[in-house]
Amino acid sequence: VGSGTNPGRDGALALKATIEYDGTDFFGFQVQASERTVQGEVERALEALTAEPVRVIGAGRTDRGVHAQGQVIGFRARWSHSVVDLQRALNAVLPGDVAVLALDVAPEDFHPRYSALSRRYRYTILNRPWRSALIRRTCWHVERELDVERMNQASQALIGSQDFGTFGRPPGGRDKTSVREVLDARWKEQGALLTFEIEANAFLYRMVRSIVGTLTQVGWGQISVDDFRAMLEARDHSLIRRVAPAQGLCLMQVNYAAREGVLQ
Amino acid sequence: VGSGTNPGRDGALALKATIEYDGTDFFGFQVQASERTVQGEVERALEALTAEPVRVIGAGRTDRGVHAQGQVIGFRARWSHSVVDLQRALNAVLPGDVAVLALDVAPEDFHPRYSALSRRYRYTILNRPWRSALIRRTCWHVERELDVERMNQASQALIGSQDFGTFGRPPGGRDKTSVREVLDARWKEQGALLTFEIEANAFLYRMVRSIVGTLTQVGWGQISVDDFRAMLEARDHSLIRRVAPAQGLCLMQVNYAAREGVLQ
């Protein structure tokens, strides 16, 4: 894709990037004064390459310590070379813990958050007596054995469009409701590694971590599957006793309608 | 296993541990004055727990930056509680980048290096144009496409007992020969991840990294499969042009005869 593709009235291209990051050494995605953030690093790299201030918008505002394999960001930039050259330049300039996996020209009205149809997160638990050194940054080490089948039974209650007020609060801004539609929620077991994948149109603040924390109580038999269902129906955030730690969580994918994602 | 199992004449137990480590922040396995090493951290933890100096011996002296999922160490320690308690205490005291995965009482004459029958290493290449943020510490990012089938053809020349002088030098000490027996050597492809697993009775210094570096030249067509075979037969270390970087390498397993590994 050459530089002439789809320039806006200001001569800037609307761009969509898929980025991966290791959240360990970031204070979350969103820019904060005087803290190291993913958005801040990407904006700094874009400014270094285009010699102009660039504003980056992310599809999901991941918390401090949360990772991403498929965060989507949108921005407008003036760039006189090819898009693939910009991707290469960004990967050369960005620090090792952020990488640009894909970069494409987007429709002028593309907004990574409002255009998104759904998000998919993965939560990883290492369920064995002994911790791991190699994957310590990307999993939650849970020593006591969990009953994955019970956790999967309880997870089925999450499917569908309903009020998830028990598991989180709306992030504020435009959106004041805590109704969300969960499209998929299931646990998989591979040896000692338990992974939970959950897809929803959108998520409340700390929703996945509150669900995973509560599901571990189900996995230990502290809460029955029926209790879990009753907690969900109570819409009472004060019922939450366990919030799973950030480092096990990863934003895997953000889905868009085919026409909105990328210009063909 | 209680404290009374198999104490030596000095009242100490011979112990065998399987350990995992993230080599990124270590100057290799072996103790060096004033550098952070895996052996140093484990000895320090054992001394803190037993209030005595403890000497640790490793099955393989991994280089700076090399990882392990299955390094085996041996040591003698006086410990008045159970072995499982010692494993738990070690994992509590050791830093996050070293973990003890297994701990067992060993025969009195157990030596992790001399008793080992074979070692298995894995080398991981990420073969795609864009680097990764999440697995950057445990793979070698190779942008140019590699022909894995050709690399596998060349790898077959490694199998068997032969002089590997082209790919490394003997570590010194007892062993002056560069003859080794390679039992298995093959590449697997999973999307952009290429993993090379190689098992041998023992390895020369930097042998796996020299083999992998040279095999990437085969994968790019710079060296033919026949050239690779000829290089191996030349027994000339000066032929090596590429040594793969440390961070892609991981010591996976050390194998012992059933009777020598662990007291049943």
Side-chain angles (χ1 to χ4, degrees), chain A residues 47-246:
Chain A
E47 290 176 25
L49 294 169
T50 65
E52 287 187 318
V54 177
R55 189 72 186 170
V56 163
I57 299 169
R61 291 173 191 152
T62 55
D63 286 345
R64 181 176 175 181
V66 173
H67 314 289
Q69 284 185 37
Q71 168 77 287
V72 173
I73 60 173
F75 55 91
R76 298 177 58 79
R78 271 194 282 245
W79 178 254
S80 57
H81 309 286
S82 70
V83 170
V84 76
D85 280 347
L86 180 56
Q87 185 181 353
R88 210 182 304 272
L90 279 167
N91 279 313
V93 168
L94 282 166
D97 50 0
V98 195
V100 178
L101 305 188
L103 182 64
D104 294 285
V105 176
E108 273 298 304
D109 61 350
F110 174 72
H111 189 289
R113 192 154 62 254
Y114 304 141
S115 305
L117 299 180
S118 71
R119 286 94 171 149
R120 175 172 284 266
Y121 280 89
R122 178 188 291 164
Y123 198 95
T124 304
I125 290 178
L126 179 67
N127 190 210
R128 68 179 190 196
W130 319 114
R131 61 185 174 77
S132 166
L134 278 164
I135 61 166
R136 70 193 187 284
R137 293 160 157 256
T138 51
C139 71
W140 180 23
H141 176 219
V142 172
E143 295 191 22
R144 269 177 65 195
E145 194 176 347
L146 292 161
D147 182 335
V148 183
E149 203 177 316
R150 283 169 54 98
M151 290 159 71
N152 253 331
Q153 281 167 23
S155 299
Q156 292 321 296
L158 300 166
I159 305 290
S161 182
Q162 48 193 322
D163 189 324
F164 285 95
T166 299
F167 293 108
R169 301 186 204 280
R174 276 194 194 187
D175 179 13
K176 304 287 186 206
T177 171
S178 48
V179 173
R180 295 292 186 272
E181 185 179 8
V182 171
L183 304 162
D184 188 27
R186 72 185 71 195
W187 288 88
K188 282 184 192 158
E189 194 170 0
Q190 283 186 293
L193 276 186
L194 312 183
T195 53
F196 180 62
E197 294 231 1
I198 182 166
E199 183 174 343
N201 64 334
F203 287 89
L204 303 171
Y205 183 65
R206 295 224 171 142
M207 179 167 153
V208 183
R209 293 167 55 192
S210 299
I211 288 173
V212 169
T214 308
L215 285 173
T216 58
Q217 295 182 289
V218 174
W220 288 325
Q222 295 174 349
I223 294 178
S224 72
V225 173
D226 284 343
D227 290 343
F228 182 82
R229 225 178 262 124
M231 280 178 72
L232 172 57
E233 283 161 13
R235 301 172 193 181
D236 179 358
H237 192 50
S238 73
L239 295 173
I240 296 299
R241 291 285 168 271
R242 284 182 79 90
V243 176

Side-chain angles (χ1 to χ4, degrees), chain B residues 40-252:
Chain B
E41 291 291 345
V42 176
E43 289 182 349
R44 190 210 306 247
L46 283 166
E47 289 177 28
L49 293 169
T50 65
E52 286 187 320
V54 177
R55 189 72 186 170
V56 164
I57 299 169
R61 292 172 190 153
T62 56
D63 286 345
R64 181 175 175 182
V66 173
H67 314 289
Q69 283 184 39
Q71 169 77 286
V72 172
I73 60 173
F75 55 90
R76 299 178 56 81
R78 272 193 280 244
W79 179 255
S80 56
H81 310 286
S82 70
V83 170
V84 76
D85 280 346
L86 180 56
Q87 184 180 354
R88 210 182 304 272
L90 279 167
N91 280 312
V93 168
L94 282 166
D97 50 359
V98 195
V100 179
L101 305 187
L103 182 64
D104 294 284
V105 176
E108 273 298 304
D109 61 351
F110 174 72
H111 189 289
R113 192 153 61 253
Y114 304 141
S115 305
L117 299 181
S118 72
R119 288 90 170 153
R120 175 172 283 267
Y121 280 89
R122 177 188 290 165
Y123 198 95
T124 305
I125 289 178
L126 179 67
N127 190 211
R128 68 178 190 197
W130 318 115
R131 61 184 174 78
S132 165
L134 278 163
I135 61 166
R136 71 192 186 286
R137 293 159 158 258
T138 51
C139 70
W140 180 24
H141 175 219
V142 172
E143 297 191 19
R144 269 178 65 195
E145 195 175 347
L146 293 161
D147 182 334
V148 183
E149 204 176 315
R150 281 169 55 95
M151 290 159 71
N152 252 332
Q153 281 167 25
S155 300
Q156 290 322 296
L158 301 166
I159 305 291
S161 183
Q162 47 193 322
D163 189 324
F164 285 94
T166 299
F167 294 107
R169 301 185 204 280
R174 276 195 194 187
D175 178 14
K176 304 286 186 207
T177 170
S178 47
V179 173
R180 296 292 185 272
E181 185 180 9
V182 171
L183 305 161
D184 186 27
R186 72 186 72 197
W187 288 87
K188 283 185 192 157
E189 193 171 0
Q190 283 185 294
L193 276 187
L194 312 183
T195 53
F196 179 62
E197 294 230 0
I198 183 166
E199 183 174 345
N201 65 333
F203 288 88
L204 303 171
Y205 183 62
R206 294 225 172 142
M207 178 168 155
V208 183
R209 292 167 57 192
S210 300
I211 288 173
V212 169
T214 308
L215 285 173
T216 59
Q217 295 182 289
V218 174
W220 290 325
Q222 295 174 349
I223 294 179
S224 72
V225 173
D226 284 344
D227 291 344
F228 182 83
R229 225 177 264 124
M231 279 179 72
L232 172 57
E233 284 162 12
R235 300 171 193 181
D236 178 359
H237 191 51
S238 73
L239 295 173
I240 296 299
R241 292 286 169 271
R242 285 182 78 89
V243 177
Q247 83 271 7
L249 188 59
C250 188
L251 173 53
M252 300 300 289

